[in-house]
Amino acid sequence: MITIINYGMGNLGSISNMFRYIGVESKVTSNLDEIRDAEKILLPGVGAFDAAMTKVNESGIREVLDYKTLEEKVPVLGICLGMQLLTARSDEGKLAGLGYIDAETKAFRGRIEREYRVPHMGWNVVNSNFERQCSLVDGFQNLDEVRFYFVHSYFVEVHSSENSLMTCDYGLKFDCGIIKDNIMGVQFHPEKSHKFGMRLLKNFSEM
């Protein structure tokens, strides 16, 4: 069972529909007791960093999420803004992030040439050491090309290569997949990424 956290800022319908399509049981909830009972947690997100952190902090979700992530160490997957919330900070706002992974979220604008439009939107090739021992990327090792769908104006940069699982190039190289122990994040939208996204979400459900 995948528990998809509803803190008021996420593409919840598309994600739950994709889990249903691949035959994985999931539920969308903001109920703290249900989150406490979660076996696996998906943290979605669409919108602004500070607005999301405010909702997470003020709803009571932060305390439960901290415990499930850092103490119980259940598998946690952040998607898009949900991945950015896993970092320490963002150029987009002033509030601290969850800080689960030693990384920060930076703006594309001012760091890439004007020929690259912001937001970064559409399909792009993802590169990685897919041989790394992480079941989230099982099945990608022998593919000639791995592509996912992106929509974002900010990117994540990890401070240690140990926390980089996947990278992408868009005017610069950035970390589009991050990891630390039971905590994972992807910048792209697996629920919009057809066979590649289906495989990644199925892998997460089997962790």
Side-chain angles (χ1 to χ4, degrees), residues 121-133:
M121 181 181 298
W123 291 87
N124 206 340
V125 174
V126 167
N127 302 296
S128 175
N129 176 13
F130 288 122
E131 285 70 32
R132 177 172 178 165
Q133 296 300 310

Side-chain angles (χ1 to χ4, degrees), residues 42-92:
L42 191 143
L43 184 67
V46 175
F49 189 91
D50 274 8
M53 282 307 307
T54 296
K55 289 179 179 293
V56 170
N57 289 332
E58 294 181 354
S59 63
I61 289 174
R62 172 65 183 271
E63 182 179 358
V64 178
L65 188 59
D66 283 352
Y67 181 77
K68 296 294 292 186
T69 302
L70 304 176
E71 300 298 327
E72 287 194 7
K73 296 188 180 300
V74 302
V76 175
L77 176 64
I79 290 178
C80 197
L81 177 60
M83 166 176 156
Q84 296 174 6
L85 298 183
L86 302 176
T87 70
R89 59 165 300 278
S90 174
D91 284 350
E92 190 178 16

Side-chain angles (χ1 to χ4, degrees), residues 96-164:
L98 294 168
Y100 296 159
I101 295 180
D102 187 15
E104 56 187 310
T105 302
K106 299 182 175 182
F108 275 123
R109 202 174 300 278
R111 292 186 171 91
I112 58 176
E113 299 296 329
R114 290 186 177 181
E115 64 188 273
Y116 292 94
R117 294 184 178 181
V118 178
H120 170 211
M121 181 181 298
W123 291 87
N124 206 340
V125 174
V126 167
N127 302 296
S128 175
N129 176 13
F130 288 122
E131 285 70 32
R132 177 172 178 165
Q133 296 300 310
C134 176
S135 58
L136 188 68
V137 295
D138 279 355
F140 296 134
Q141 292 88 343
N142 299 320
L143 298 179
D144 292 333
E145 187 175 81
V146 177
R147 301 168 69 246
F148 287 95
Y149 189 85
F150 291 81
V151 183
H152 63 122
S153 300
Y154 295 80
F155 66 93
V156 167
E157 181 180 276
V158 299
H159 294 161
S160 170
S161 61
E162 293 181 356
N163 299 130
S164 180

